[in-house]
Amino acid sequence: MTRRLRPWTVLESRELLDADPFLKVHVETVELPDGRVIPDYYQFDMPSFACIFAETEDGRAIVYRQYRHGPRRVNLTFPGGHLSPDEDPLEAARRELLEETGFVSDHWTALGGYTVNANQGGAVSHMFHATGCRRIADAVSDDLEETEILFMTREELLTAVGQGDIALLTQIALVSMVWQNDIRTALSHRHR
């Protein structure tokens, strides 16, 4: 028999930082189901975003090589970006793919939306797989990062995964959703 778990009750919430639109920090007083009170439970509000595993008509993955300040290194990422307020995640994914790469797709699969940080909240990463992508425009990026767009074969990307070239959890999760068995094999070779 499964025990019924209950949510925590937020008794008070106080904003500590408002760096809108990128980050808000709150401290909450929460009451646990057993009656204990936690006076300082920190929460983050960050914009949700779309991540796209985009494959061209010839089956190559559209990948960025860029510096990301979180892991403080150059690594591989996939197209994507923040959702505008009240924007549908699929529409954001379509917009971001076009803006960042100049590519569009008529074939989209939604892979779900997932909270990035289990305890502090933060953003939801909306994952998508786009196939048959074709270029219709030049990329127009206003990102801070210098970006090199690569078109990688399955073998090249799996080799990069095995070498640890993807440092962001959301990115390895995305490629894993699409190529689950191949990723497991590539990562198992890395940790032997």
Side-chain angles (χ1 to χ4, degrees), residues 94-116:
R94 291 178 191 270
R95 175 182 51 76
E96 288 290 342
L97 182 64
L98 178 60
E99 287 174 5
E100 293 185 349
T101 68
F103 279 74
V104 296
S105 173
D106 296 324
H107 309 284
W108 289 84
T109 302
L111 302 172
Y114 305 92
T115 302
V116 176

Side-chain angles (χ1 to χ4, degrees), residues 53 61-65 73-78 150-168 171-172 175-176 179 182-183 185-191:
F53 188 86
I62 303 172
V63 181
Y64 291 147
R65 185 173 171 275
R73 60 177 267 209
V74 173
N75 67 126
L76 300 178
T77 63
F78 298 105
L150 307 173
F151 299 91
M152 300 181 81
T153 66
R154 185 180 194 94
E155 294 74 27
E156 290 168 336
L157 187 52
L158 288 170
T159 297
V161 166
Q163 293 171 344
D165 291 339
I166 297 179
L168 303 173
Q171 307 299 294
I172 197 67
V175 72
S176 295
W179 292 346
D182 294 331
I183 295 300
T185 301
L187 289 174
S188 68
H189 291 301
R190 181 174 161 210
H191 296 290

